[in-house]
Each structure stands twice: as structure tokens, then as C-alpha cells.
Amino acid sequence: MALVGLVRVSTDKQETARQHDALNDAGCVKIFEERISGKLTVAERPGLSAALSYMREGDMLTVQEVDRLGRNLLEGLIMLNDLFAQGYAVKVLDGIAAGEHTERSLILDLALALAEDRRRDISRKTKNGLEAAKKRGAALGRKPVMSEAMVVQAVALRDKGFTIRQIQPHLTYKTGSGETRNPSVGAISQALQAHDESQS
């Protein structure tokens, strides 16, 4: 029997190291990763499909927490039903559902329900915090990449006939870690549009 790991996050910006570390420590022979917001069928989950194709009889699909199988209660339950119906076993490393499972159980259902409730609570608190900060007049969101000087330079280059892609290499900014980067085409375009609107 071998453990085959599955790592899932919803967006490209989310960190996967914690899940990888947990699965490696558990002794997974191979780990598959997917960045997807959760879907209802195995066919719509590339990482999960690849993991199941790799597995041999007796192997166990392993996740750090049961909610890696689905982003909410409904998706998690459907996914578990699908996996168990096809004869796959699931191992959960952390949380109240930690252990090996070959069929649906109250503890699995409860773990998914609690995970969904936790996400809903985090979302509500984040929303309330943003609203409170907004009322206090705090500036929300990331600092714009395009500084005023960069916008002036971009406008001057555009007036000379440069396209946005030709303008891009001429503009640079430093990240928080000190790296020098070019702003994205989208950032330049938005800055130019905002400048044009302010002039009209």
C-alpha cells in the first residue's frame, strides 16, 4: 500500500508548502497539486484525476485536511461519495477526521461542515474589518505599481507613438524584497486610462 498525496488551493496566490510538507512527512510516494476553486466531479479536477490514475490497488489518496477534496460541504460530500463508490480509500492527516476512510461517516461529514463554517466566519470577519477600515478612511488594497513619475513617462512615450508593450520595458519599480520589475501591461493601461479621464 502506498500513500498518494493531493494538494489543492483555490487560487494561484495561495501557498501550498504547508500541505506539501505534511504529505511528505506522512510518507507519500508522489504528490499531485491543483490550483482550482473546487468542482463537483473528478473529471473537472486535473490534479485529482492524475492522482487517481497513478494509484494502484490498495493505495490511499491522502490529503492534509478533508476540505482539500472540496471547498464546501456539498462539494466535499459529492467528492467523497464519488471516490468511495469507485473503491478508493482516503487518508486524512489533520483535523477531527484524521485517519483512514473507505466509506462516508458522520465524522467526515462533520469535518466538512466545520471547515465550511470556518471559511464563512473568516470571510465575514474580513468583510467587517474592511468595512470598518473604510469608515475610518483607511486606504485599502495594494499600493499602485504605477507611480506618478512612471505615468508621466508612459504618457510621454505613448505620445511619441509607443505601444503599451513597447512602453513596458522602459518602466521599472522595486518590490518590497528589493527586486526590480516592469509593471504589467494591464497596470500601464489602467494608469493611462485614469490619466486620460483626469484630463477630460
Side-chain angles (χ1 to χ4, degrees):
M1 182 199 83
L3 301 181
V4 177
L6 175 69
V7 168
R8 182 189 68 80
V9 289
S10 298
T11 70
D12 288 335
K13 295 178 181 177
Q14 288 179 281
E15 183 56 60
T16 61
R18 188 170 67 96
Q19 291 182 60
H20 275 283
D21 288 346
L23 294 170
N24 278 317
D25 290 346
C28 288
V29 296
K30 192 167 179 64
I31 298 174
F32 294 85
E33 180 178 318
E34 59 184 9
R35 294 175 182 269
I36 190 167
S37 61
K39 297 289 182 181
L40 293 180
T41 66
V42 172
E44 294 175 292
R45 301 274 300 271
L48 178 57
S49 296
L52 297 181
S53 296
Y54 179 84
M55 289 169 66
R56 300 295 175 260
E57 187 175 354
D59 289 352
M60 199 169 287
L61 181 68
T62 307
V63 290
Q64 185 187 20
E65 294 175 318
V66 72
D67 62 342
R68 296 302 92 200
L69 294 173
R71 63 184 173 178
N72 58 41
L73 177 60
L74 176 62
E75 288 181 5
L77 293 177
I78 290 174
M79 191 58 62
L80 283 171
N81 280 338
D82 199 5
L83 291 171
F84 293 147
Q86 294 180 53
Y88 292 106
V90 174
K91 181 169 185 174
V92 181
L93 300 179
D94 299 328
I96 63 169
E100 299 177 0
H101 306 273
T102 56
E103 59 183 4
R104 278 271 305 282
S105 66
L106 178 60
I107 199 73
L108 279 172
D109 295 1
L110 181 59
L112 285 165
L114 288 172
E116 181 175 30
D117 190 58
R118 184 174 66 232
R119 274 192 299 275
R120 194 182 298 120
D121 187 50
I122 291 170
S123 178
R124 186 179 68 249
K125 286 179 179 176
T126 301
K127 183 180 178 184
N128 290 344
L130 289 172
E131 287 176 355
K134 195 173 180 181
K135 285 179 182 176
R136 293 194 305 270
L140 302 177
R142 291 185 302 175
K143 182 181 176 183
V145 168
M146 292 287 290
S147 66
E148 191 174 334
M150 289 166 69
V151 173
V152 170
Q153 187 179 355
V155 170
L157 290 170
R158 184 185 62 179
D159 290 347
K160 289 181 180 178
F162 283 61
T163 66
I164 290 178
R165 289 205 176 275
Q166 290 170 331
I167 292 171
Q168 187 183 28
H170 295 274
L171 305 178
T172 60
Y173 69 96
K174 284 198 179 293
T175 66
S177 60
E179 292 179 82
T180 300
R181 291 187 183 169
N182 301 108
S184 68
V185 168
I188 299 170
S189 177
Q190 287 177 2
L192 288 173
Q193 185 178 348
H195 171 270
D196 291 345
E197 289 172 358
S198 70
Q199 300 301 307
S200 60

